Amino acid sequence: MKKDDCIFCKIANGEIPSSTLYEDADFRVVLDIGPATKGHALILPKEHFENLYELDDAVASKALVLAKKMACRMKEVLHCTGFNLVQNNGAAAGQTVMHFHMHLIPRYDDNALPLWKPQELNPEDAAALVSLIRQP
Ligand code: 5GP
Ligand code: ZN
């Protein structure tokens, strides 16, 4: 299903023109209009899912296979020396467009783009988190 007021639904389905790097029945891959690095692109499912929690399992599987394909292509043609696959869910995580997407971010030795600042994990917190989160 598409969502009428969703810009990524319109881009993914070709209703708004975009710099398209790949398209198939389920996805469109486009250049990000505010790139973090040269080649920064977005994988957009053609169907509307707001975020990872809502994503269809079959689409989720295909999305990672496509991310791998695009990463290999970018490595080959852009000669990037690293690669970040980033996916934000919710405003607190930096999601600004509420249509599931994956960021393909080629990295080069000459740029520094720290994604987070590591903090300390003490053993008590680790044990509490394991008992809270561990998937049965
Ligand atoms: P988020 O912060 O939601 O994970 O990422 C949204 C991304 O979409 C941002 O990197 C932003 O630059 C990009 N973006 C927002 N609007 C458009 C658009 O109309 N076209 C394209 N190609 N990218 C967009
Ligand atoms: Zn949408």
Side-chain angles (χ1 to χ4, degrees), residues 2-116:
K2 287 190 277 168
K3 194 164 175 259
D4 281 347
D5 58 349
C6 174
I7 188 165
F8 278 6
C9 278
K10 292 188 170 65
I11 292 173
N13 290 282
E15 290 161 35
I16 294 177
S18 62
S19 302
T20 295
L21 304 178
Y22 176 83
E23 184 183 5
D24 63 22
D26 301 304
F27 299 98
R28 183 184 297 268
V29 181
V30 303
L31 288 177
D32 192 299
I33 48 161
T37 65
K38 186 176 87 173
H40 180 177
L42 302 169
I43 294 182
L44 309 178
K46 291 187 173 181
E47 208 175 322
H48 182 87
F49 305 99
E50 185 164 325
N51 49 40
L52 183 64
Y53 319 121
E54 293 187 357
L55 190 63
D56 174 82
D57 282 358
V59 177
S61 309
K62 288 179 190 170
L64 193 58
V65 173
L66 178 54
K68 176 189 166 182
K69 189 199 289 252
M70 293 306 302
C72 291
R73 175 74 181 163
M74 286 179 172
K75 183 171 182 287
E76 183 186 333
V77 300
L78 296 174
H79 309 292
C80 49
T81 48
F83 199 92
N84 292 119
L85 185 59
V86 176
Q87 199 276 309
N88 301 325
N89 298 283
Q95 186 179 10
T96 58
V97 181
M98 301 301 162
H99 173 124
F100 174 90
H101 53 279
M102 292 167 80
H103 292 260
L104 304 169
I105 308 179
R107 300 295 297 266
Y108 306 91
D109 290 339
D110 62 353
N111 78 46
L113 190 66
L115 294 186
W116 64 78

